[in-house]
Amino acid sequence: MQQLDKKTTYRVLIASLVGSSIEWFDYFLYGTMAALVFNQLFFVNEDPTVGLLLAYASFALSFFIRPFGGIIFSHIGDRIGRKKTLVLTLSLMGAATFAMGILPTYQAIGVAAPIILITLRLIQGLGIGGEWGGALLLATEYAPPERRGFFGSIPQMGVTIGMVMGTLALWLMSLLPEQQFMTWGWRVPFIFSALLVVFGLWIRKGIDETPEFKDVQQKGEIPKLPIVDTLRYYWKEVLITIGAKVVETAPFYIFSTFIVSYATSTLGFSRSAVLGSVMISTVITTILIPIMGSLSDRVGRKKMYIAGTLAMMAFAFPYFWMIHQGSVLMLVLATIIGLGIIWAPITAVLGTMFSEIFDAKVRYTGVSLGYQIGAAVAGGTAPLVATALLASFDNSYIPVALYIMFTAVVSLIAIWAVKSRVEPTVVTGKISSAK
């Protein structure tokens, strides 16, 4: 691995972070709007619960298209290069989000409105399906072995930075009178995202291909069909990444998306209080992610992940008990503990852990496929499952808490299968990936 100068290091880290942040900013806008706006303006139904379920279903639908985006763009990434793929994914995502901002509502064009909205959401899913793997590999494949955990945590910050930007934008717009917010205020963040996309493309323009991809090119080891080689030789690793992703993604969407609707409609909290608690928590976890990533370079990825997963399991019931106290302070504290602190070590090491499982020639395909299938199975469905559980069990939170605990068990089983394949070996202060 070549030694990076400071300028190149900063450029690589910023490029992996900026694009990821913009992608997730666009993506989370939809998730929050599904709970606040789209159930009224696009998925119109006489029963508000049905409208909300339809909105959440459209939110979940894009998660199932994400693996296809991962396959399409990881094929390009493993065949042509990481950089070119990242330009494509960012452009696709930005165009779809901007179009959402100018889309007429159901009241204006009828059933065509939700159909077009779902189509744009699917395009978002394709873009994000290819973006994450590329942003991760841009960081980890440039990283010195002893700092891979830190480098790999940087694109993970994009998830929470994008969420902070999205939540902040919505919070500012929610200060408008309700009629103005529902008429045009909700559109502003979607339209504004176009400027962010231009900035992201400019940042990525000056980045070269990763050293590890260049090495594969020089050796002539680029596979003709990366997806075939991945499923033939690395299917166990794909299953591990799917399972390990579950506890990172399902509780995240419970704490950040489901809570917006649940706390406002069922528990009587104001929209600004809920959005504020989520924003504070995401700021905290954004600060903690690189710290946890750096710590994993010293103590090991697996130990960090298991500690976070066990804590997530233990906090499932206390979380709901706290938010049911009716206190804004307890709501904020519960969200900070769950989303801001417990979730941080899990997500910080996840990407690096995945990248260390796969060989460089199929790494883009392997990490994208496992990550996106895991997200589809557990992430997009989480708000839908939680809402359905509440409806089925007379608004009792016990089944939802048990669901969070179940996701932790699934991921613990998966991480057990990893054994020593991604544990760093510490030698005289240096760390190398053991396989």
Side-chain angles (χ1 to χ4, degrees):
M1 174 67 67
Q2 64 182 13
Q3 190 67 30
L4 299 181
D5 58 72
K6 287 187 177 181
K7 184 178 180 181
T8 302
T9 298
Y10 291 145
R11 185 178 295 172
V12 167
L13 293 179
I14 291 172
S16 67
L17 176 61
V18 168
S20 179
S21 299
I22 295 169
E23 295 273 7
W24 288 105
F25 169 73
D26 291 353
Y27 206 70
F28 285 128
L29 278 179
Y30 190 102
T32 307
M33 289 301 183
L36 298 178
V37 176
F38 293 161
N39 59 322
Q40 300 178 53
L41 298 184
F42 291 93
F43 302 100
V44 179
N45 194 280
E46 292 181 2
D47 187 341
T49 302
V50 173
L52 182 61
L53 285 172
L54 288 173
Y56 276 146
S58 71
F59 176 76
L61 187 61
S62 71
F63 280 79
F64 291 96
I65 204 70
R66 279 168 60 173
F68 295 98
I71 292 171
I72 294 169
F73 290 109
S74 62
H75 176 85
I76 300 172
D78 277 331
R79 290 278 301 164
I80 299 175
R82 314 330 192 187
K83 176 185 172 180
K84 294 178 181 178
T85 308
L86 288 172
V87 171
L88 288 173
T89 57
L90 186 56
S91 301
L92 190 68
M93 189 80 175
T97 305
F98 178 80
M100 287 181 181
I102 60 174
L103 180 65
T105 64
Y106 180 89
Q107 288 80 2
I109 60 173
V111 72
I115 293 175
I116 296 173
L117 182 64
I118 290 174
T119 301
L120 293 173
R121 180 61 173 170
L122 293 178
I123 293 174
Q124 277 192 331
L126 289 174
I128 201 69
E131 165 66 24
W132 179 83
L136 171 70
L137 298 188
L138 186 64
T140 58
E141 290 186 351
Y142 264 105
E146 69 275 9
R147 299 192 68 197
R148 192 175 292 137
F150 170 73
F151 272 61
S153 69
I154 298 300
Q156 293 298 92
M157 293 170 65
V159 178
T160 50
I161 290 175
M163 188 173 178
V164 168
M165 292 193 301
T167 305
L168 180 59
L170 289 174
W171 179 75
L172 290 173
M173 291 299 103
S174 68
L175 296 178
L176 293 169
E178 183 70 15
Q179 184 177 359
Q180 293 183 26
F181 174 78
M182 296 298 292
T183 302
W184 59 267
W186 68 269
R187 298 180 181 274
V188 173
F190 287 91
I191 297 172
F192 174 72
S193 70
L195 298 176
L196 298 177
V197 170
V198 172
F199 175 71
L201 293 173
W202 175 74
I203 287 291
R204 285 182 170 176
K205 184 179 179 182
I207 300 298
D208 198 4
E209 283 296 346
T210 69
E212 291 193 42
F213 179 76
K214 286 183 177 180
D215 186 55
V216 173
Q217 279 185 317
Q218 291 172 359
K219 292 179 180 178
E221 296 179 347
I222 294 179
K224 292 183 178 180
L225 289 172
I227 183 65
V228 173
D229 285 5
T230 301
L231 295 178
R232 179 180 297 173
Y233 303 113
Y234 295 90
W235 62 270
K236 291 181 181 178
E237 287 80 359
V238 172
L239 290 178
I240 288 171
T241 57
I242 292 171
K245 173 66 177 170
V246 170
V247 76
E248 189 261 359
T249 193
F252 175 82
Y253 285 103
I254 297 292
F255 295 152
S256 63
T257 301
F258 164 76
I259 190 61
V260 175
S261 172
Y262 180 66
T264 54
S265 61
T266 303
L267 303 182
F269 287 99
S270 68
R271 185 168 59 199
S272 59
V274 180
L275 292 177
S277 68
V278 172
M279 185 167 62
I280 292 170
S281 302
T282 49
V283 169
I284 292 173
T285 200
T286 302
I287 296 170
L288 289 179
I289 284 173
I291 296 174
M292 297 296 179
S294 182
L295 185 59
S296 76
D297 283 325
R298 295 192 292 274
V299 304
R301 253 69 86 184
K302 189 174 178 180
K303 290 179 181 177
M304 298 284 292
Y305 180 91
I306 291 175
T309 302
L310 290 174
M312 186 69 73
M313 183 185 296
F315 187 62
F317 276 94
Y319 169 75
F320 282 100
W321 178 85
M322 291 174 72
I323 65 175
H324 270 257
Q325 300 309 300
S327 164
V328 173
L329 179 61
M330 292 291 276
L331 170 69
V332 172
L333 185 60
T335 310
I336 287 175
I337 294 173
L339 181 60
I341 298 175
I342 294 176
W343 186 73
I346 299 174
T347 195
V349 304
L350 196 74
T352 307
M353 193 164 63
F354 288 178
S355 71
E356 291 173 335
I357 293 177
F358 295 95
D359 190 272
K361 59 188 177 183
V362 295
R363 186 172 292 145
Y364 204 141
T365 301
V367 298
S368 296
L369 192 62
Y371 184 95
Q372 302 303 346
I373 291 177
V377 170
T381 58
L384 188 62
V385 168
T387 303
L389 287 173
L390 286 175
S392 300
F393 292 92
D394 196 26
N395 276 338
S396 171
Y397 66 77
I398 293 176
V400 184
L402 291 173
Y403 171 64
I404 292 175
M405 297 179 73
F406 170 74
T407 65
V409 171
V410 170
S411 291
L412 285 174
I413 293 172
I415 202 67
W416 173 82
V418 173
K419 296 182 181 178
S420 64
R421 80 176 66 218
V422 298
E423 273 301 276
T425 303
V426 182
V427 182
T428 63
K430 296 281 186 175
I431 300 180
S432 59
S433 177
K435 284 206 173 189

